[in-house]
Amino acid sequence: MTSRTSDLPVLIMADFKDEPLSCQKHLFGIESDMHYLNNAAYGPMLSSSKESGIEMLNLLSNPQQITSGLHFDRPAELRSQIAQLINCSDKDCIAIIPAQSYGMAVVSNNLHRLPGIEMKRDIVILEDEFPNDTYALQRTAEILGLAIRAVPCPEELNTVADCWNERVLACITAETALLVVPQVHWVKGVLLDIDAFAVKCRSVGALCVVDGTQSVGVVPFDIERTRPDALIACAYKWLMGPYSIGFAYFGSFFDDGVPVEETWMNRVDSDHLAGIMTLKDHYRPRAQRYNMGEMSQFLNVAIWSAGLRQLLEWKPARVAAYISELTVEPLHRLSMLGCLTIPPTQRAAHIIALHLPACANTQRLLEVLERRRVKVSLRGVIIRVAVNIFNDTADLAALVDAVQEVVSEGRNL
């Protein structure tokens, strides 16, 4: 089986016929002199989402207005929006969760149910993956006698995705119980071939879990095509939502699984409040047993639903196309300054791992960026630049000018 990574950016750019998007900064409340290139850390809130939140706060100030519809109908609408975004035919396969770690806890809590688990030997993850995806599995791996196997990232930037995909595929064997992999690496932006991984996992009886926190919303995701066992994502980065809410898609393996917590809202007929005192033995269908307690999340659901409404209008493919076009010239200028980046064929458009030339002092660059009001993240030795639909040429120019200043200083020493 060979990797198809080099084809993926082409698919992202070609799967729609809509008019190209322009910069949407006017729909956000970002300060006019702030060059915010840090969406991979926190995404800014849409003004429409803020308005929806204020409306909900006003409603909640009069609790007599809280109805059954707020408890169940609005979360169901939110799940429908998520299902549309990821091309999932059944919104009941989607649970509302508070964090990525919660979704991973569900996965960890059910791994013992995997057929043939006693014959399995390892769990496969990526080296330098976000810690939540490892922490969630450590205790379960110890209990089940499984080793956590981290697949190292290749050093050659020009072929990093192709080589990493090949390494992951080679590590998925009949002894693998579970693969946990992102669609896009959270620091390096490397685009992983999750379709090929899912096929390989099915062939050897392993679960395939995709961490979509750094991709869903800006990279198209098709549940019906990829068919992972689970897809987990937080709302506050690329999904135009607030902190402390997210979603998890759970496939058929989890239909009869063990939830992390027991809550009345996840039981059958719980929306019939008059019968709430009658204990129910059965859960609501499919992934609804995995909803967080108090999944109604009145305020967060209102804010996120407004954000998803806008995101569905934009479409992730159009967002990715806008970012790709916006970053072409700045990346060329950065390369002329001696900076190294992963080529577009090997990464997603929205996360750029910037490696500075040897003459440039990283700490000095952070000082210059702060002075110029440019916000990025330092992750290890990598400057992570995360671009979204609200960024424009001025934002990228400010970044390039800051790098140029520091590189010039270093060369003159």
Side-chain angles (χ1 to χ4, degrees):
M1 186 180 301
T2 59
S3 170
R4 304 191 309 278
T5 306
S6 59
D7 297 333
L8 289 176
V10 176
L11 291 173
I12 289 170
M13 300 293 290
D15 278 353
F16 60 90
K17 298 178 182 178
D18 304 273
E19 289 294 319
L21 285 171
S22 58
C23 179
Q24 302 293 304
K25 185 173 288 189
H26 60 285
L27 298 180
F28 295 82
I30 303 171
E31 298 172 17
S32 58
D33 64 339
M34 170 58 67
H35 306 291
Y36 192 76
L37 298 168
N38 201 30
N39 203 102
Y42 303 95
M45 186 178 293
L46 283 156
S47 297
S48 58
S49 295
K50 180 179 178 180
E51 292 168 3
S52 293
I54 292 172
E55 289 177 7
M56 181 55 65
L57 282 173
N58 289 334
L59 184 151
L60 294 175
S61 67
N62 295 284
Q64 72 275 7
Q65 300 182 67
I66 299 176
T67 64
S68 176
L70 281 180
H71 277 289
F72 294 95
D73 294 347
R74 289 203 177 188
E77 179 185 356
L78 179 70
R79 289 187 290 110
S80 293
Q81 291 175 302
I82 295 166
Q84 182 181 348
L85 185 71
I86 63 174
N87 192 32
C88 175
S89 60
D90 186 353
K91 71 177 185 296
D92 284 343
C93 292
I94 295 169
I96 296 174
I97 60 175
Q100 175 80 18
S101 57
Y102 192 99
M104 284 301 303
V106 171
V107 172
S108 184
N109 211 34
N110 282 277
L111 190 56
H112 71 280
R113 299 175 49 251
L114 181 70
I117 186 64
E118 66 279 358
M119 304 299 293
K120 301 295 186 177
R121 296 291 178 264
D122 61 37
I123 295 170
V124 177
I125 62 171
L126 295 187
E127 185 180 69
D128 296 328
E129 180 52 338
F130 194 79
N132 276 351
D133 290 343
T134 301
Y135 291 147
L137 300 168
Q138 288 177 330
R139 185 175 293 108
T140 293
E142 182 177 352
I143 291 171
L144 297 178
L146 301 171
I148 297 178
R149 185 176 183 182
V151 184
C153 179
E155 295 183 2
E156 176 54 53
L157 296 183
N158 289 332
T159 57
V160 60
D162 291 331
C163 294
W164 214 355
N165 286 325
E166 291 174 1
R167 288 182 181 182
V168 173
L169 286 169
C171 288
I172 303 170
T173 70
E175 294 187 338
T176 301
L178 168 67
L179 169 72
V180 180
V181 65
Q183 187 181 18
V184 173
H185 190 268
W186 69 294
V187 173
K188 300 172 183 177
V190 177
L191 195 59
L192 283 304
D193 195 347
I194 54 174
D195 288 357
F197 299 161
V199 170
K200 184 73 178 290
C201 284
R202 286 192 292 272
S203 73
V204 300
L207 295 180
C208 178
V209 175
V210 178
D211 180 345
T213 288
Q214 292 290 10
S215 60
V216 179
V218 68
V219 177
F221 196 105
D222 190 331
I223 282 289
E224 304 298 334
R225 184 184 69 197
T226 304
R227 295 168 53 206
D229 293 288
L231 167 66
I232 306 166
C234 299
Y236 70 96
K237 297 180 185 287
W238 305 97
L239 283 167
M240 300 294 155
Y243 199 72
S244 299
I245 193 169
F247 81 87
Y249 160 87
F250 291 113
S252 59
F253 169 80
F254 292 92
D255 283 353
D256 299 315
V258 184
V260 170
E261 57 181 320
E262 303 291 350
T263 165
W264 68 274
M265 298 187 74
N266 292 351
R267 299 289 174 146
V268 67
D269 296 329
S270 53
D271 51 332
H272 301 152
L273 297 184
I276 194 172
M277 293 182 65
T278 303
L279 297 180
K280 307 296 194 302
D281 293 329
H282 301 292
Y283 294 100
R284 295 169 74 89
R286 289 172 286 286
Q288 296 316 289
R289 67 182 62 205
Y290 302 116
N291 285 319
M292 63 190 290
E294 300 183 9
M295 63 93 175
S296 303
Q297 288 286 294
F298 305 129
L299 182 59
N300 278 343
V301 165
I303 292 171
W304 194 13
S305 184
L308 284 173
R309 193 175 305 120
Q310 179 63 77
L311 184 57
L312 286 167
E313 180 181 326
W314 286 334
K315 299 181 183 178
R318 297 170 73 205
V319 175
Y322 171 79
I323 295 169
S324 295
E325 181 67 24
L326 178 66
T327 54
V328 169
E329 178 59 27
L331 286 174
H332 174 70
R333 289 184 59 194
L334 287 168
S335 69
M336 297 300 290
L337 291 171
C339 296
L340 297 178
T341 61
I342 296 170
T345 57
Q346 302 291 301
R347 62 169 175 82
H350 59 291
I351 295 180
I352 301 165
L354 189 62
H355 299 258
L356 299 177
C359 66
N361 182 281
T362 300
Q363 187 57 46
R364 174 59 180 154
L365 176 60
L366 294 178
E367 295 171 359
V368 173
L369 289 171
E370 183 175 2
R371 169 167 54 82
R372 291 177 176 267
R373 300 273 286 168
V374 180
K375 185 64 176 179
V376 296
S377 284
L378 176 65
R379 295 293 183 263
V381 298
I382 293 173
I383 302 295
R384 186 183 65 184
V385 181
V387 187
N388 206 345
I389 192 65
F390 50 78
N391 291 122
D392 56 20
T393 54
D395 296 327
L396 275 300
L399 170 69
V400 175
D401 290 346
V403 173
Q404 184 173 15
E405 178 179 336
V406 173
V407 169
S408 297
E409 289 177 357
R411 288 173 176 170
N412 291 331
L413 289 179

